[in-house]
Amino acid sequence: MSEAPDPALSNVVAALALALTDRISEATERAAGRGGQAPAALVALHEFLDGGTIEHLRQALGLSHSAAVRLVDRLVADGHVVRRDGPGDGRTVAIALTPVGRSVAESILCARRAAVEETLASLSGDERRSLQISVGKLLGAITQPRLAARAAGRAPDGGWLCRLCDFDACGRSSNQCPAANAAGAGHT
């Protein structure tokens, strides 16, 4: 049962979301040595798409096909990704991280964690546990409309929620990820 809208709470949550987005973007772009979708692409390849196709990456990042191809071209030029023959009849191309790309992806995950930890540092242990419960509920609530949009043939804004996630930290493999639990299965 939800309460009446609270403009003050909405405002501060929006300000926090924007500040965290700015911190995460700055930290991950610095770690990747490149901005835009490059940090998310490297992390997605590291966490769940390594060896996948450009189409898989395009879907995860919410990009057009041509934008995904240009991004992969840049990551190949940086030495972070290699192209390989894809599965099937040879019309698809698989992409995989190089050892350097894997290292950069790990640096991006560390930078993302540090950017958020700077904000969380002022909270006590009890406040952190309470926040984790609340954020888990919110992620579950956000997941459902994203899945509905995907089922209706519309790509969710920005791609998958998990495109920058550290799967070990979220507890996905032990059924602790609130988004995956809300989805029931698959990527969100």
Side-chain angles (χ1 to χ4, degrees):
M1 185 84 37
S2 88
E3 294 185 22
D6 183 341
L9 177 60
S10 297
N11 190 59
V12 296
V13 169
L16 175 62
L18 186 57
L20 282 173
T21 298
D22 290 345
R23 277 187 174 180
I24 291 168
S25 293
E26 181 182 328
T28 59
E29 290 174 3
R30 188 173 45 251
R34 186 175 287 281
Q37 292 282 4
L42 292 169
V43 169
L45 287 165
H46 183 270
E47 294 296 306
F48 60 90
L49 280 180
D50 205 24
T53 65
I54 291 175
E55 178 62 16
H56 294 137
L57 184 65
R58 180 199 75 72
Q59 290 173 1
L61 300 182
L63 297 173
S64 68
H65 179 75
S66 59
V69 169
R70 287 190 304 272
L71 174 58
V72 170
D73 287 345
R74 290 189 298 271
L75 296 174
V76 167
D78 290 345
H80 296 157
V81 171
V82 293
R83 286 182 172 94
R84 298 185 178 142
D85 290 336
D89 60 10
R91 290 186 290 179
T92 61
V93 175
I95 49 178
L97 290 174
T98 64
V100 170
R102 186 162 304 287
S103 177
V104 171
E106 290 167 0
S107 294
I108 292 166
L109 287 169
C110 289
R112 175 180 170 264
R113 185 178 313 111
V116 175
E117 281 295 331
E118 288 176 25
T119 301
L120 298 177
S122 64
L123 298 179
S124 70
D126 286 343
E127 289 169 325
R128 283 175 178 244
R129 285 184 285 282
S130 179
L131 180 61
Q132 187 165 3
I133 291 167
S134 296
V135 169
K137 284 182 180 181
L138 294 171
L139 281 172
I142 286 171
T143 299
Q144 294 307 320
R146 294 173 71 88
L147 291 173
R150 195 175 298 143
R154 296 184 321 271
D157 291 340
W160 295 354
L161 287 176
C162 57
R163 67 190 178 276
L164 256 176
C165 279
D166 178 341
F167 278 24
D168 289 335
C170 84
R172 189 176 195 90
S173 63
S174 59
N175 298 319
Q176 300 299 310
C177 173
N181 291 346
H187 296 293
T188 51

